[in-house]
Amino acid sequence: MARADVPTIDSASAPYWEAAREGRLMIASCGACSKVHHYPRPFCPHCWSEDVHPVEATGSGTLYTYSIVYVNDLAPFKDRLPYVAAIVALDEGPRLMTTIEGADPGDLQVGMPVTAAFRPVDGDDPDSPYLTVFTPIKEHA
Amino acid sequence: MSRVAIVGVGQTRYSRESGRSEWQLAVEAISNALTDCGIDPGDVDGLVRYSYDNVDEAMIVRSFGLKLRYYSQTGFGGLGAPATLAHAYAAVASGQARVVVCYRSLNGRSTTRYGRAERSLGTGGGDLIATGDRAPSGAFAGPYGMLSPGQVMAMWARRYQWEAGLTEDELAAAMGRIAVDQRAYARANPDAVMGGRPLDQAGYLAGRVIATPLRIFDLALETDGAAALVVTDAAVGPRPAVWIRSAIQGLIPYAESIATYGELRNGPTYRSLGSRLLQDADVKPADLVSASIYDATSVSVLLGLEGYGIYPVNGAARAVIEHGIGPESPLPVNTSGGHLSEAYVHGMNLVIEAVRQVRGESMNQIPRSGPVLVASGPSGLVLAP
């Protein structure tokens, strides 16, 4: 069965995906201007330097926006409906597309604090790429 | 300033299953546009198309026996609709061409369905299909099920709700008003696919939820059809000439993608482009008689109304709840029914409706003469009698 959720990995994005397998979230940092960006690119989008390298992000951020998706007939999503698609703004600044796990979709709020977690795209495939997902940060009394 | 006009428009029947090739549809729409202005194909020397179109220039050249001096393409989907006219405007104003045809043809329902992500993923199957960095469906979006435009624009809508300080019910009231008012326009338009299907706010709210906060009626139709326009340097033919007063074909970081990595389409860069477009036409927002605003989803209309300065930032939703976008509103929008209710010809049918308004030939004619806005994200036109 064809899947619509398997990412194509290229040389610029490989460090991101390799780190995700190890439970780390990498964003790209520029050696010339020190600014960070995501998704990874061969050039810094701020100063065009090619001196870009992955740096580990804290994994903390806030929920920038989200949607609970009820209609999608592509595998594997058709068996997961409804699912949450989301964008998180990292504390370092860049945003990334993701999903939110470990929360009732009805409890999601734009602006809520979240933290990164990692899981395989395809749990049955030992070589599967790992996705960065986010979970709400529990309020501690 | 050079005087360049849209003198001819043409389209096919809009349907869910044309039963004809996109090539046939394109030829019919172009033929109708040339007939509309009485220009012989032998006088056409320029073509502009979408890079996404499956009907290439050579197919049109050999269909009509054209002898071209100029052709070009516009990228990034719906941004291309006003942009094709911007190219034609530049080509004619500079003398590179005298008569330019712009066209778009797609079997958007019976063949490649954008709503099923078939444009971005292809229909051939296979595993490694989340590729590149564009959203939807790029390697950083596809794995999370952000595969179709509606799934990503749902993100815009939720963020807009938060930035504008709206409740979920207020957002639904505003988006529903757009869907309901555009459907009311479609009722008078015999070409509109949804013309026979009335819609009220209760019906809107009862619509199937596709991706929160968007319901089925917030999303563009999928349509088989084609549309074409003819641009030249003089008022020719039996119809009133529609002069291109200004054009802009913007591209800013992430505008090439519908991702929300960058600013929303009411953000400062969009507002700057919109302001420049109106300034170049020597037009103020209050001067506009009507507008065609690209409505892949209803929320795009809210963002466009703010991006082009019709309403203040985060002010469109409340204004639309109060006034709507109907014939009596401060600025009537998408008066053919738009992509939500007329047809989805990837923006070209919206340009044609703007032409009809300037000519005084719309089925929902706004009874004032003056400039009309065409806006599609960072691309736009001001047309005037």
Side-chain angles (χ1 to χ4, degrees), chain B residues 349-365:
Chain B
N349 54 315
L350 302 184
V351 184
I352 287 183
E353 175 61 11
V355 169
R356 288 195 204 105
Q357 283 289 352
V358 175
R359 287 176 168 184
E361 295 178 351
S362 171
M363 299 303 294
N364 292 292
Q365 184 62 42

Side-chain angles (χ1 to χ4, degrees), chain B residues 280-320:
Chain B
D280 285 351
D282 195 21
V283 161
K284 294 184 175 55
D287 300 333
L288 295 167
V289 172
S290 70
S292 286
I293 300 180
Y294 197 87
D295 53 339
T297 53
S298 57
V299 73
S300 322
V301 176
L302 295 175
L303 295 171
L305 285 166
E306 295 178 9
Y308 283 82
I310 311 305
Y311 294 116
V313 177
N314 298 326
R318 289 185 181 86
V320 165

